[in-house]
Amino acid sequence: MEITPSNQKPAPQFNYWFDPTIASIGKSGLEFLHLLTGPTHLHLSGRDRSRCRAIVTLLHGNEPSGLYAIFELLRQQIKPAVDIHFFIPSVEAAQAPPGFFYRMLPAHKDLNRCFRAPFDNSGQDQLAALLLSRLQALKPEAVIDVHNTSGSGPSFGVTTFLDDRHEALVSFFTHRMIVTDMRLGALMEISDSLMPTVTIECGGAQEKESNLMAYEGIQKYVEADNVLSAAHNDFPLEFFHNPIRLETRPDIRIGFSEQTHPEYDITLLPDLDNHNFGHVEESTLLGFVKGDLADYFTARDSQGEDRLAEFFHTVNGEFRPTRRLKLFMITTNPVIANQDCLFYMVAT
Ligand SMILES: [Zn+2]
């Protein structure tokens, strides 16, 4: 028997589940979540067993649309065209009360920033490395990584690699596609070296349409004979190249309110996410900032250069763009704004 030293956590594993019966999956997506006992690798056999595809979801525990879609697919007893491997990593974070609340558990690393060497001893790096080794062994034709945005807004795809295969994958879900050179350690970055992989952001985690969009996209992806060549959308894709990330500096106090607030260094308007994929102009008020913007924000482009002063300024404490911009992936959650970024943007 292998003994694990008491000061070392056991290495994470994926629980393997092959062709679940309808009786074994529970009566709802939530029940399904609570039947899982840790990171899960769910394997569905397809009509052509010689090929396979992968879907990853719940890298972030507060983004339920992908899991609901998998439950629905199992409930509808959809027979895939090829074998499908679902990887569901952050089960523990998703299950933690009140449920689908934690992006990651407190003190854990963001799992979708861990997909690059070197891998440390943290559970998240180990799980990311394990997922990569599973994908390398299985050699799926493609990988779809299904997420939700934390603010409300429409769906979009993200890729670090632009070609017909990636366009085809995104077009199962949406017609908006972000193409970025930025490397943060996200799963989709394996496209560079391993297999076509795209991120799908299904829209807000609280919105019912996001679940429907995830289900319809995944259903088409698993049922299609060929997923890498033909575009599957009637609309042409709209591209957004190399967005800039507006990040806050560490330990800044961020709040959302209609008026400037003494407790916050940065006060943002509560309906900021209404601008998702819309335009903001010089005249658009985004919020209020005390003092110098550069003390609070960075706006890095894909080359790592800070472009803050080019795109934003304050006028009497009011935080505004300097020019017409398109914003997306806007969060109205101060914790995510602080830990990840407030929004992405491109100049238009
Ligand atoms: Zn996510």
Side-chain angles (χ1 to χ4, degrees), residues 4-55:
T4 308
S6 58
N7 63 347
Q8 207 179 316
K9 281 186 105 180
Q13 289 297 328
F14 279 98
N15 298 323
Y16 179 73
W17 197 2
F18 181 68
D19 275 347
T21 61
I22 193 155
S24 65
I25 60 167
K27 299 261 184 302
S28 68
L30 210 55
E31 227 180 287
F32 176 56
L33 168 70
H34 286 280
L35 286 169
L36 306 178
T37 53
T40 300
H41 171 188
L42 198 155
H43 179 182
L44 278 193
S45 59
R47 291 190 300 275
D48 177 355
R49 303 280 333 258
S50 71
R51 297 191 285 151
C52 72
R53 295 171 200 150
I55 295 176

Side-chain angles (χ1 to χ4, degrees), residues 60 63 147-148:
H60 293 141
E63 300 177 6
H147 290 250
N148 288 102

Side-chain angles (χ1 to χ4, degrees), residues 261-273:
H261 199 286
E263 256 178 51
Y264 307 137
D265 301 310
I266 304 169
T267 309
L268 298 154
L269 295 186
D271 56 357
L272 193 66
D273 55 351

Side-chain angles (χ1 to χ4, degrees), residues 88 95 290:
I88 310 168
Q95 287 175 340
K290 293 177 200 157

Side-chain angles (χ1 to χ4, degrees), residues 59-60 62-63 103 110 112 146-149 199 201 329:
L59 281 178
H60 293 141
N62 59 346
E63 300 177 6
R103 180 181 173 94
D110 184 332
N112 205 25
V146 181
H147 290 250
N148 288 102
T149 49
T199 299
E201 295 282 355
M329 235 172 148

